[in-house]
Amino acid sequence: MLIVGNALHNVVRNKGRNALMILIIAIITAAAAVALAIVQAAERARTSALDDTTISAQISIDHSAMIGKARDTQSGGVDMQSCARR
């Protein structure tokens, strides 16, 4: 009981210091809560943006260009081996 009595006596004796400590702790707690809210909002926004993004692409071969290059090769024009390396 002596420890509790001494603690209460210390709290009453140093009112200014204790008020300042309570204020600092409240500010730190509020800043941590705001930071956590920002992180969660950013994560939700990223997840939502990725879910809403649809990617559609199609890769096809240009047959007419290939036929044209093959005809050029037969007539002594373009070398197919050099075209394949590009």
Side-chain angles (χ1 to χ4, degrees):
M1 195 67 179
L2 181 64
I3 295 173
V4 175
N6 284 339
L8 288 175
H9 179 67
N10 192 23
V11 168
V12 172
R13 186 176 51 184
N14 299 313
K15 293 177 185 166
R17 183 181 68 188
N18 292 332
L20 183 62
M21 287 298 289
I22 290 172
L23 181 65
I24 290 171
I25 290 171
I27 289 172
I28 291 172
T29 303
V34 168
L36 184 60
I38 289 172
V39 168
Q40 287 178 347
E43 184 65 27
R44 259 187 269 122
R46 185 183 72 83
T47 303
S48 174
L50 288 176
D51 289 342
D52 292 341
T53 302
T54 56
I55 300 173
S56 61
Q58 182 178 0
I59 299 174
S60 61
I61 298 173
D62 188 2
H63 293 289
S64 61
M66 288 179 64
I67 291 172
K69 286 180 184 178
R71 286 184 184 152
D72 289 344
T73 302
Q74 290 173 355
S75 64
V78 178
D79 181 22
M80 289 299 284
Q81 292 297 328
S82 65
C83 290
R85 282 186 229 134
R86 292 183 194 173

